[in-house]
Amino acid sequence: MLIAERPRIVGQVVDSRRPVGQIPLASTNKLKIREYRAEGIDVVEGRSVEERQGASAEEIVRIKAIEAYWANGGPTLVDDTSFEVDAKNGWPGPYVKHMLGSRDERLRLCRELTAMGDARGVGFRVLLAVSPDGENVEIRQGYTRGTIPAEPTGNAQDFFDDIFVPDGDSRTYAEMHDAETDDKRRTSPRIKAVEAWHEDPVLVGENIFQLGEPDEAQMSLILRERLTADPKAYQFAFGIDALAHVTPNKELEVTELAPVHREEMAGGRILRYVVGNPKTAGQGLVVVPHLELKEVVDFQPGEPPKRKPIRLAVNHIGGERAPVLMQMGVRATELALASRAREYLLMHSDARHQQIRDLITLGPDGRALRSNHRSPLLEELLGMKVKERKRKGGYKVTEAATKAIAPSELGYVRVSSERNVSRKKAARQGLLSMQADLPTMPIALGGMPPTTGSVDTAVT
């Protein structure tokens, strides 16, 4: 699915918040990555973002954290360093890389302060930030006071190490590094920020993103008075679990979405999502890992059957990836309600019910005949072996079912093809989805019918 702009977050899965685990760092700096790992923050290399302007270090790091979230597809750690000179009203602050990046620029600052007298106080601030949801930002801070010497001293490893003397010491950070002591670590604002991170962990949860909402022109086409003239029509429209929290009304109005609950099974490797009442008999959306079914049989006309691996593997909540949940917004839900009300008026009448009965083919026992199309996926799950009879036609079961399957063993199979695939084949083999190695994207929890013609949107 291609999304032209940042999707709006309409909620989080209930009771799914947990401390952030492995997380991308918006940097390709290998040294910095090793340093954070050494301090217990499990970072991996992530996509960096451009430096932004801002009135304060906090504003800049907030912008960076949100942009890093969307650049990396999830919560991403960013950091920002600020060098705040008392005599300069906090200058250069977060712009220290650009203003004090060279030895000559730092020497010039030292001489300016010498000419001003004893005003040599300075604050060294490091901010760590992460956006859990692409909107809000959590910040952890480390701060150390110090003074600026008469001139740069030592071999600077980082911007201004040679002009920062922490309170209680007479050496610059650059000199401490040369002497290979732990004193720099003891006073380091970066270490203090990391400690604050561990003391107050950042919590992340599974977000629910909103599918595109209909525009005003679409909404204006809803004939509310006609669709709700029969009370049974709008009561039918609201009669699904996802809308149990809404009182049926003639305006077809929904003010808020129902919460999404998640249940973990098999140690979190099987996930079940239910909209509204978590105790409903409805199965909701079940996402399963490989389990024992590693392959499916692929049938192509004129070719011998081939076994293809199932590509969908669900990572549990502590893994690097989790399903991306997308759901209808309030306006799209109201459009779907109009569709359900219209369905009732068109399809629910004595005459229509009789038409449907007349279409059903009955067998000798008076029961409706069922489809006899093969499902190789179910055959594999049941342990059956079926042979095609080329001369006589049809199929013969050569080995009866040897297994029983439970609902938790049925899930979505990811199939990709460079060619057009018939609906019949898709139904037999599994669910067509995105390309491999990307998070699964379950769309629109709650059983609403599709109400748009978008080719890139599927609604359960």
Side-chain angles (χ1 to χ4, degrees):
M1 178 179 293
L2 299 177
I3 300 174
E5 56 186 37
R6 294 176 183 173
R8 179 169 175 257
I9 294 172
V10 293
Q12 286 196 328
V13 178
V14 176
D15 298 329
S16 70
R17 291 173 65 81
R18 79 279 184 193
V20 63
Q22 188 178 73
I23 184 172
L25 175 68
S27 173
T28 57
N29 187 321
K30 307 286 187 188
L31 177 60
K32 186 180 287 188
I33 290 173
R34 285 199 300 269
E35 288 177 348
Y36 278 123
R37 285 180 176 171
E39 299 303 327
I41 299 181
D42 188 10
V43 296
V44 294
E45 183 177 316
R47 184 177 298 174
S48 58
V49 293
E50 294 183 16
E51 293 287 340
R52 298 296 183 182
Q53 301 291 322
S56 66
E58 287 79 5
E59 181 181 347
I60 290 173
V61 82
R62 284 182 185 278
I63 295 172
K64 285 174 63 176
I66 291 173
E67 292 190 347
Y69 178 98
W70 295 108
N72 289 276
T76 302
L77 180 66
V78 300
D79 58 13
D80 198 77
T81 299
S82 186
F83 194 70
E84 302 158 357
V85 180
D86 294 351
K88 295 277 190 175
N89 295 319
W91 178 93
Y95 303 105
V96 60
K97 300 178 187 177
H98 311 289
M99 309 304 294
L100 297 177
S102 71
R103 184 92 167 187
D104 286 344
E105 288 169 331
R106 295 193 292 275
L107 177 59
R108 189 179 305 118
L109 172 63
C110 292
R111 289 176 176 173
E112 276 187 60
L113 296 180
T114 297
M116 295 173 67
D118 295 330
R120 293 187 171 276
V122 63
F124 183 0
R125 188 188 311 271
V126 171
L127 299 178
L128 303 183
V130 63
S131 175
D133 54 17
E135 294 182 2
N136 301 296
V137 176
E138 295 276 352
I139 298 176
R140 303 293 181 264
Q141 174 180 278
Y143 183 76
T144 300
R145 288 290 302 174
T147 56
I148 297 175
E151 62 181 23
T153 308
N155 183 22
Q157 300 290 312
D158 192 8
F159 303 124
F160 45 81
D161 276 3
D162 54 1
I163 60 168
F164 184 77
V165 178
D167 286 350
D169 209 302
S170 59
R171 297 163 296 170
T172 64
Y173 270 173
E175 290 176 299
M176 291 181 188
H177 182 83
D178 292 341
E180 297 184 354
T181 70
D182 291 331
D183 293 340
K184 178 180 178 181
R185 175 184 171 81
R186 177 176 52 81
T187 61
S188 167
R190 186 176 303 280
I191 298 299
K192 292 178 181 179
V194 169
E195 290 173 349
W197 174 282
H198 290 310
E199 290 172 3
D200 184 12
V202 175
L203 300 179
V204 295
E206 289 176 275
N207 297 319
I208 304 170
F209 298 95
Q210 180 177 280
L211 288 165
E213 288 279 71
D215 57 28
E216 289 295 337
Q218 288 177 286
M219 297 299 291
S220 67
L221 295 176
I222 299 177
L223 304 176
R224 286 181 168 81
E225 291 185 7
R226 184 183 302 177
L227 293 174
T228 59
D230 184 346
K232 292 182 180 178
Y234 69 81
Q235 289 170 1
F236 170 84
F238 281 94
I240 57 177
D241 287 336
L243 295 174
H245 66 295
V246 181
T247 301
N249 58 84
K250 296 185 68 172
E251 291 73 29
L252 301 177
E253 185 178 57
V254 177
T255 56
E256 63 177 315
L257 301 173
V260 176
H261 301 265
R262 189 194 63 204
E263 178 185 0
E264 294 186 17
M265 297 173 279
R269 287 183 54 76
I270 298 176
L271 306 177
R272 174 176 178 260
Y273 298 89
V274 180
V275 177
N277 179 10
K279 299 185 182 300
T280 179
Q283 191 65 26
L285 176 74
V286 177
V287 187
V288 302
H290 286 162
L291 295 177
E292 296 180 359
L293 184 60
K294 302 296 184 184
E295 308 177 297
V296 290
V297 182
D298 178 41
F299 290 89
Q300 295 287 351
E303 298 179 8
K306 296 179 182 178
R307 302 182 74 84
K308 285 190 173 182
I310 296 176
R311 294 191 172 272
L312 173 59
V314 178
N315 297 101
H316 61 81
I317 196 66
E320 297 176 29
R321 305 223 181 203
V324 177
L325 303 178
M326 303 191 75
Q327 188 173 12
M328 285 177 168
V330 169
R331 289 160 64 92
T333 301
E334 293 177 358
L335 198 61
L337 285 173
S339 176
R340 286 176 58 83
R342 183 173 183 273
E343 175 196 343
Y344 180 89
L345 295 175
L346 288 174
M347 303 301 295
H348 291 263
S349 66
D350 292 341
R352 182 67 69 182
H353 291 170
Q354 187 57 50
Q355 283 183 321
I356 294 172
R357 292 190 190 100
D358 293 340
L359 291 173
I360 297 174
T361 303
L362 300 179
D365 59 356
R367 296 183 180 182
L369 295 177
R370 301 181 65 180
S371 169
N372 63 350
H373 288 300
R374 289 184 63 200
S375 173
L377 180 61
L378 283 175
E379 291 169 12
E380 182 78 9
L381 279 167
L382 292 168
M384 296 174 64
K385 290 187 178 179
V386 180
K387 184 178 181 180
E388 185 175 357
R389 297 188 295 190
K390 294 185 178 180
R391 290 185 179 180
K392 296 182 179 180
Y395 306 94
K396 180 181 180 181
V397 177
T398 59
E399 188 172 321
T402 57
K403 301 178 183 177
I405 58 174
S408 61
E409 293 176 289
L410 299 176
Y412 295 110
V413 176
R414 178 175 301 201
V415 179
S416 60
S417 174
E418 295 180 358
R419 298 175 296 174
N420 291 333
V421 179
S422 70
R423 288 187 182 182
K424 182 184 291 186
K425 181 182 177 186
R428 293 170 65 205
Q429 301 295 339
L431 179 74
L432 293 176
S433 188
M434 306 288 286
Q435 64 268 35
D437 199 33
L438 287 175
T440 325
M441 192 172 284
I443 309 292
L445 306 167
M448 282 293 189
T451 58
T452 76
S454 305
V455 295
D456 62 350
T457 301
V459 182
T460 58

